[in-house]
Amino acid sequence: MAHMEIRAFELTDESAVIALWMRCGLTRPWNDPKKDIDRKLCVQPHLFLVGIIGQELVATVMAGYEGHRGWINYLAVALQYQRQGIGRLMMLEAEQLLIKAGCPKINLLVRTTNSKVIKFYQQLGYVVDDVISLGKRLESDES
């Protein structure tokens, strides 16, 4: 694997980030990626990381900590760079930033049908919690 730089998201990364999320199948009609980026830039923007190889944006991870739990969203690795340890490096960097913030536990959501990604997280030490995830949309992103 070529050397990857991990750094905080910059505004000039936006179109490449959204394109990566779309290629990786992370976007949904009810989550406008531009609005998700804009929201993140208002709350702990230093926890929104991108991975760069050469001049190419190849990975993202969006972390957060609200004082009780850390959260991981939008972990993405470009298809041609998957299975090379990039996702693991992005997660390790996000975890280190959350540890530095005093975070005691990280939670994340994975669709139950995504067994490949569940296995990836389990290899990083994540376990399935005996909980049900509930959600309530406060603002619609759908046009």
Side-chain angles (χ1 to χ4, degrees), residues 2 14 21-22 28-29 31 40 52 54 58 62-64 73 75 80 87-89 95 97 107 115 118 120 128 137:
E14 183 179 80
W21 290 352
M22 292 179 81
R28 296 291 183 268
N31 289 112
K40 183 59 186 168
I52 309 290
V58 300
M62 189 184 284
N73 294 289
L75 176 66
Q80 68 270 30
R88 176 181 302 271
L89 289 174
E95 288 174 3
L97 290 172
N107 286 26
S115 57
I118 292 169
F120 164 80
V128 176
R137 174 133 320 259

Side-chain angles (χ1 to χ4, degrees), residues 110-123:
V110 178
R111 287 178 178 82
T112 55
T113 56
N114 201 342
S115 57
K116 183 173 79 168
V117 170
I118 292 169
K119 184 177 178 183
F120 164 80
Y121 283 116
Q122 288 174 327
Q123 290 171 341

Side-chain angles (χ1 to χ4, degrees), residues 8-9 35-49 61-67 69 71 73 98:
F9 171 89
K35 287 181 182 178
D36 280 351
I37 290 170
D38 291 344
R39 290 177 185 122
K40 183 59 186 168
L41 294 180
C42 293
V43 182
Q44 302 171 324
H46 66 287
L47 297 180
F48 183 11
L49 305 176
V61 66
M62 189 184 284
Y65 176 52
E66 30 71 346
R69 294 284 182 257
W71 287 89
N73 294 289
L98 291 171

